Amino acid sequence: MADSGPGIAEAHYARLFERFYRADASRNRTTGGAGLGLAICKSIVGAHHGAICVEPSPPPGITFAFRLPRAAVAEKRL
């Protein structure tokens, strides 16, 4: 998944998947977001034995990639 937003500095990449972490200090509960979205994504992908990561991309924007094992995908079809 990729977006065309302002992007995120690479210094934040290591913490992006932590619960309640916000890379943008100006964001808070009143302006939107709880800092849980990426942590939830990581939990879901992990529950299916997959991996999720952030990949640098040309500004603006950022790219997130995830991989799921083929066996997990095949089980879902049954």
Side-chain angles (χ1 to χ4, degrees), residues 11-70:
H12 295 282
Y13 286 9
R15 298 193 60 202
L16 285 179
F17 297 100
E18 291 179 15
R19 291 182 295 156
F20 308 113
Y21 183 74
R22 293 183 180 103
D24 183 353
S26 68
R27 295 194 56 143
N28 57 47
R29 284 186 169 172
T30 58
T31 60
L36 290 172
L38 291 173
I40 291 170
C41 290
K42 183 178 179 180
S43 293
I44 292 169
V45 171
H48 293 281
H49 308 289
I52 187 169
C53 66
V54 58
E55 298 177 348
S57 60
I62 194 163
T63 300
F64 292 93
F66 69 94
R67 298 185 195 282
L68 295 173
R70 185 175 288 270

